[in-house]
Structures are given as C-alpha cells and as structure tokens.
Amino acid sequence: MRKIAFGLTTVALSIAATTSHAGEVEVLHWWTSGGEAAAINVLKEEMKDAGHTWKDFAVAGGAGESAMTVLKSRAISGNPPASAQIKGPTIQEWGDLGFLTNLDSVAAAGKWDQVLPPVISETMKHDGHYVAAPVNVHRVNWMWANPEVFRKSGASIPTSWEQFIVEAQKIKDAGFTPLAHGGQAWQDATLFEAIALAKGSDFYKKAFIELSDETLRSQDMIDVFTTFKKMHDFVDPGFSGRDWNIATSMVINGEAAIQIMGDWAKGEFTAAGKQAGIDYVCFPAPGTSGTFTFNIDSLAMFQVDGDEAQKAQQDLTRLILEPNFQETFNLNKGSIPARLNMPRDKFDACAHSAMDAFLASSSTGDLVPSMAHGMAVNSMVQGAIYDVVTNFFNNESMQATEAVDKLARAVKASM
Ligand code: BGC
C-alpha cells in the first residue's frame, strides 16, 4: 500500500517538474463544424506544445448565439472562462462591465499596433487598451457555387439580385435546390445583409451603422425586403432550422447550387477535400463585388487569478498573433489573417481575392462591418433586426412596407 502511494507521489512530482509554468486555460468558442474544429485545433496543439492545459468549452450553434447565452450565465455566477470568442462592439460591452483583462504588455512585445490594420486593432481595444486578440478576418458577402449544378441547369453565375432570380429559376426547373439555406435568424440576417449591401456601401452604412430612420423606411429598404422574400421560392422545403454547415454540404454534394455565406463556408469545402476553382467556385454576393462586409473573430481575455493561469493566458494571447498560427488557422477556417504582410502562397484564389478586396475596400470606404455577425451594432440592436428579418421571411402575408415600419420601430426601441 505504502509502495503504491510512494509511486504516485513520484509521478506527481515529475509532472510538476516538467511543467512548472504550466497553467490551464479554458476557452469558450462555437467552432464545432469540420472546418472550424480543424482551425481551433491548431491553437489547442500550440498551447499543449507550450506546456499548458487547454480546457475546451465549445458551445455549438452558428454565429454564437448559444455561446453568448452560456457565457453570460457563467459570468453572472462569477466564474467566466479565461478566454471567450467575443467580437466587435460586444467586446466593448464586456469591457464596460469590467470583466476583461489588459493585454497591453503582450501586444507591445508583439508590436500589435504595427502588425494589425487600425480597423482591427481598434476593435480589440477597450478604453485604449488591448483586451482581445484577433484570429482572422472573415468576408461575409460571399456566394459559394457548385459549377456542375450550374452547368447541368444551363445557368450562369449571377452578378445582380435581379439576375439571381432568373438563374435560380433555371436551376429550380432543372430539379436542383437553387439556394442552400438554413432557416435560423442569423442565417436569414446574413442573406438579408448581402441583399442590402448590393444597394451600395452608403445605403448599408446609413441603415446598419447610423441606424437612420429615413433609410430604414426608404424605398430602397422596401426593395431589399422584397428581394429577400423572393429567396423563399428558391430554398428547399427542409430549410427551417438547418445548420449552416449542413447547407454548405448541399452545395458540396451537388444537391444545391448556391450558398450565400461568409467564408467559414470555405472551411467546410476544405475539410471535405474540395478545391476552389475546381470543385466549387467563389464570387462576391451579387452586386457586391467592390464591397467587403468584415467579420473579425477574436478571443477576449477575462481576468484570471494565479500566476500559472495568467501565464497560460498570456501565452495564448501571444500565440494568436504569431505568423504560424495566423497562417494555419486561416487556411483551415476559410478566412484571411488579421496580421498584415503575411505570405500568400499557401492560400487559394478565394483567399487571395478576399485579401485584395480587403485592401482595396479599405481605401474606398467600401469596407463595412457585418451587422449579421455582430460587428456593426450592439447585441440589443442586432437582436431587434434579427427578429424583424426572420419573422418577415417566415410570414408569407407580411408585406415589405410593413416590414420596414417594424424594422424602424424595433431599431429605435433598442437603441
Ligand atoms: C463567426 C465564424 C463562424 C460562423 C459560424 C460567425 O459569426 O465569426 O467564426 O464560423 O459564425 O458559426
């Protein structure tokens, strides 16, 4: 008996000796699809290699609505994780509540102010201090298409929403599902936002950043709702509640022609062994070629106690901005690195096009934050827009004129 106890003590001592600076880091995220899991695994492995313990806190659910609910309950009970996938204005909400930790020393050592474009570094700061680390930039206004389905249907890739309706009808007549879609509020909002973006960046900014009552009620917005409702004719009967990655798989396996989705969809094509330009093609969502709706994923860091936990959190923060992680994570995730001047050679044509569009749109004023992905407005306003958009899509009798009135009122009430 004594011998066994002695044996265990020896083992315990030797583990402690090899990992004296090792700490645990609990990370809350919603990256659970094939491409997403491959991406976050890169960070898990790097943390393990640095001698730390990764406690995975994955909460499934596209766009993170469920993850945010779970995070709030953990924070309210005084036990937030060390790190959580939080983005855009929501970082400010958590910062205002005093939960986040100052990352300035890691950021200074890694020269974050120099290696990040201002649109990203500003989003990562609260009151002028870094509190979150960016992993990527997703472009949201993308159209993913199966070229074989287009060929069999005699359809062309649409460059406007008017043309989309014409081509989608051909695809439907040929017996395919034109639009792979999942009826979840955030996916409805992603589609709606892409249609709105085709009205131009000025319209988009007035509607979803300035929240102008006049723009929300305008004829242009009525047109946007009308086109959006038309998309209902092109989804399959099973669309309701479908997860986004299941919709992507419909394009991958040739059941459907198109998905309008951010480039995390590319992560699914990659995970399925498909190649851009051969098995699938990527184009900006119709009418949005010069514009870029950005969605920056980031891990915000919460205050943690104890030297080891703090060291683990700092290592996590540092590793995220390292070129190696930025490259490997984004090759799996479908997005582009947040860090500037990264080598492009391992990235595919869709990523190159996103990189070019990101740079070009930053100087023309056509780089706009995604409303559907929590980059443009706070969570209250976003929730109000989601509700109107999704109710309208699922309510056959609601007119576009009624929808704009509901939208303007809901936005005003949530401001
Ligand atoms: C996130 C992506 C994620 C997608 C689907 C977006 O809001 O930014 O990282 O892959 O939701 O869950």
Side-chain angles (χ1 to χ4, degrees), residues 2-72:
R2 214 178 295 147
K3 213 171 165 189
I4 294 170
F6 179 72
L8 287 178
T9 313
T10 314
V11 171
L13 282 176
S14 69
I15 290 174
T18 52
T19 57
S20 57
H21 292 295
E24 181 182 273
V25 66
E26 185 179 21
V27 183
L28 181 143
H29 62 91
W30 65 88
W31 290 318
T32 56
S33 75
E36 291 174 334
I40 192 64
N41 273 336
V42 176
L43 197 53
K44 279 184 204 173
E45 290 308 316
E46 289 193 357
M47 281 299 279
K48 282 189 204 154
D49 291 347
H52 300 297
T53 308
W54 175 283
K55 190 168 174 197
D56 202 47
F57 187 3
V59 181
E65 270 184 281
S66 311
M68 288 304 101
T69 308
V70 173
L71 178 61
K72 278 175 205 149

Side-chain angles (χ1 to χ4, degrees), residues 30-31 36 62-63 85 87 138 244 264 295 297 333 373:
W30 65 88
W31 290 318
E36 291 174 334
Q85 186 187 349
K87 26 182 220 178
H138 273 301
W244 68 272
W264 47 93
N295 172 22
D297 282 317
K333 189 71 171 69
H373 292 276

Side-chain angles (χ1 to χ4, degrees), residues 399-414:
Q399 299 300 308
T401 44
E402 200 183 333
V404 296
D405 182 52
K406 282 188 191 295
L407 181 68
R409 283 169 192 272
V411 164
K412 195 169 277 174
S414 63

Side-chain angles (χ1 to χ4, degrees), residues 63-191:
E65 270 184 281
S66 311
M68 288 304 101
T69 308
V70 173
L71 178 61
K72 278 175 205 149
S73 67
R74 278 282 300 265
I76 287 166
S77 64
N79 182 30
S83 177
Q85 186 187 349
I86 305 179
K87 26 182 220 178
T90 315
I91 296 175
Q92 304 308 316
E93 292 173 23
W94 285 99
D96 289 346
L97 291 170
F99 277 103
L100 303 182
T101 203
N102 185 316
L103 306 173
D104 284 348
S105 59
V106 181
K111 301 194 166 54
W112 288 18
D113 279 340
Q114 284 93 66
V115 301
L116 293 175
V119 67
I120 300 183
S121 55
E122 279 155 21
T123 312
M124 300 302 126
K125 289 177 183 173
H126 175 256
D127 264 352
H129 302 290
Y130 280 104
V131 291
V135 294
N136 66 0
V137 180
H138 273 301
R139 185 184 196 182
V140 184
N141 57 316
W142 274 121
M143 172 167 65
W144 308 93
N146 183 315
E148 188 67 7
V149 175
F150 267 82
R151 199 186 51 74
K152 287 185 184 155
S153 314
S156 313
I157 297 287
T159 55
S160 68
W161 287 101
E162 291 73 26
Q163 193 196 351
F164 184 102
I165 292 167
V166 174
E167 306 299 338
Q169 190 58 50
K170 291 183 200 163
I171 295 164
K172 191 173 175 180
D173 293 344
F176 298 100
T177 297
L179 184 60
H181 184 63
Q184 295 176 345
W186 74 269
Q187 293 187 61
D188 294 340
T190 302
L191 178 59

Side-chain angles (χ1 to χ4, degrees), residues 41-346:
N41 273 336
V42 176
L43 197 53
K44 279 184 204 173
E45 290 308 316
E46 289 193 357
M47 281 299 279
K48 282 189 204 154
D49 291 347
H52 300 297
T53 308
W54 175 283
K55 190 168 174 197
D56 202 47
F57 187 3
V59 181
E65 270 184 281
S66 311
M68 288 304 101
T69 308
V70 173
L71 178 61
K72 278 175 205 149
S73 67
R74 278 282 300 265
I76 287 166
S77 64
N79 182 30
S83 177
Q85 186 187 349
I86 305 179
K87 26 182 220 178
T90 315
I91 296 175
Q92 304 308 316
E93 292 173 23
W94 285 99
D96 289 346
L97 291 170
F99 277 103
L100 303 182
T101 203
N102 185 316
L103 306 173
D104 284 348
S105 59
V106 181
K111 301 194 166 54
W112 288 18
D113 279 340
Q114 284 93 66
V115 301
L116 293 175
V119 67
I120 300 183
S121 55
E122 279 155 21
T123 312
M124 300 302 126
K125 289 177 183 173
H126 175 256
D127 264 352
H129 302 290
Y130 280 104
V131 291
V135 294
N136 66 0
V137 180
H138 273 301
R139 185 184 196 182
V140 184
N141 57 316
W142 274 121
M143 172 167 65
W144 308 93
N146 183 315
E148 188 67 7
V149 175
F150 267 82
R151 199 186 51 74
K152 287 185 184 155
S153 314
S156 313
I157 297 287
T159 55
S160 68
W161 287 101
E162 291 73 26
Q163 193 196 351
F164 184 102
I165 292 167
V166 174
E167 306 299 338
Q169 190 58 50
K170 291 183 200 163
I171 295 164
K172 191 173 175 180
D173 293 344
F176 298 100
T177 297
L179 184 60
H181 184 63
Q184 295 176 345
W186 74 269
Q187 293 187 61
D188 294 340
T190 302
L191 178 59
F192 175 77
E193 169 182 287
I195 297 171
L197 189 65
K199 293 277 178 195
S201 308
D202 285 344
F203 170 81
Y204 182 96
K205 288 183 206 165
K206 280 190 198 126
F208 302 130
I209 301 174
E210 293 162 32
L211 303 173
S212 144
D213 190 70
E214 197 190 333
T215 307
L216 293 173
R217 293 175 180 279
S218 65
Q219 183 58 48
D220 275 346
M221 191 58 91
I222 295 174
D223 296 346
V224 169
F225 272 103
T226 306
T227 304
F228 177 54
K229 186 61 100 25
K230 188 78 188 143
M231 295 301 126
H232 210 282
D233 295 350
F234 302 124
V235 301
D236 67 313
F239 84 101
S240 189
R242 174 186 290 134
D243 285 331
W244 68 272
N245 53 321
I246 306 295
T248 312
S249 70
M250 292 167 67
V251 179
I252 294 177
N253 66 29
E255 200 181 315
I258 299 170
Q259 184 179 25
I260 301 291
M261 186 53 66
D263 40 23
W264 47 93
K266 196 177 64 148
E268 297 309 293
F269 286 99
T270 306
K274 304 294 179 192
Q275 277 187 40
I278 299 171
D279 308 304
Y280 68 97
V281 287
C282 58
F283 289 93
T288 71
S289 68
T291 46
F292 189 119
T293 23
F294 69 84
N295 172 22
I296 306 161
D297 282 317
S298 43
L299 291 178
M301 305 296 162
F302 284 73
Q303 285 162 19
V304 288
D305 292 328
D307 289 352
E308 288 170 356
Q310 286 172 1
K311 174 78 173 74
Q313 189 183 50
Q314 286 186 1
D315 277 351
L316 177 72
T317 306
R318 177 180 55 77
L319 286 169
I320 289 173
L321 262 284
E322 294 283 326
N324 182 55
F325 171 75
Q326 291 272 323
E327 179 175 83
T328 321
F329 177 88
N330 285 300
L331 286 170
N332 286 301
K333 189 71 171 69
S335 36
I336 59 173
R339 200 184 159 107
L340 290 166
N341 301 323
M342 289 281 299
R344 286 176 165 223
D345 47 312
K346 290 197 187 139

